[in-house]
Amino acid sequence: MSIQITNLTYIYDRGTPYQKAALKDISLFIDSGSFIGLAGKTGSGKSTLAQNLDGLLIPTKGKISYSSGIVVDMTPRVTRNGKEKLKRPKRIKRWKELRKTIGIVFQFPEAQLFKNTVLSDVMVGPLNFKANESEAKTAAKQALKTVGLGPAFYQRSPFELSGGEKRKVALAGILAFKPKMLILDEPTVGLDWSSAQNLEKTLMDINRSGTTVLLITHYMDLVYRLCQRLLVMADGRVIADGKPIDIFGDEETMAKASLLPPEIFSYAECLRRKGLGLDLGKTATPEGLAKEIRRCL
Ligand SMILES: Nc1ncnc2c1ncn2[C@@H]1O[C@H](COP(=O)(O)OP(=O)(O)O)[C@@H](O)[C@H]1O
Ligand SMILES: [Mg+2]
């Protein structure tokens, strides 16, 4: 599924002394099937953008058009004397369909778990979207398998699991209703290395099967290995949008967003500066780097 975002502005607590513009006039196109990274300092607006995309927040201004035909149009009316008149936020038409199309795994997955067993928790989504009990169970088991949780977990309480396991249950709960686009808000924070590796592989498989993925993360190594495109936000705006390797080399943007290029990228770039014609698009892993070095020598 593709999404066109046009002049999206989001203001929290509008009209109060606390009002805060978290998104400022953002326009971008999200291609169907792409794997996009979204990075930026804490408070730059990443989570707010994610919640506008999946209908949890309604834009203050601007328009979001989904290829499924859903349109959230909050383009302000311009009055005769040239002033903008904001539209009043209304319920989004086909909201439930929108929520089914876009699955979001929150930064704190605990907020997403409610039932007393893992299996029943993961069944909530499918049941909500009109699957019957047995369809929901099949979908839940499949989703739990995808995230690496076997039958031993079905009857456990989600609240007694480790942080990493809770996150897997939350992800399974989203995968179970088969969204066309998956948004993950800093999913690898607090995961041990092997869980993070599993998650990475799972995301790759999900994307290969055609699901569009938007990954919010500070880990540029992950972005290097997974994403074709990187968006960088600062203070409510998108300040860079391009191939990860081009942005990693852009010191000004990286500093603004407080991001470090992946170490392996820095090695590869250093070799390139010494005259080796490496293709930086292929050096995201040690194996890739080794192959490129051999090719060049
Ligand atoms: N519920 C809220 N109420 C008021 N302000 C908020 C709320 N959520 C976020 N903000 C503010 O909006 C800005 C963007 O926040 P957020 O989208 O959470 O950024 P990020 O995910 O990049 O850390 C920040 O200044 C934050 O303080
Ligand atoms: Mg956030």
Side-chain angles (χ1 to χ4, degrees), residues 10-13 18-23 38-51 57 107 185-186 216 218 233 235-236:
Y10 186 84
I11 303 173
Y12 285 105
D13 304 314
Y18 308 103
Q19 81 169 21
K20 162 86 200 172
L23 301 176
L38 173 58
K41 279 188 190 167
T42 304
S44 58
K46 306 178 298 294
S47 298
T48 306
L49 178 61
Q51 291 173 66
L57 296 175
Q107 200 161 1
D185 202 344
E186 311 203 15
I216 302 178
H218 291 290
M233 290 187 69
D235 192 26

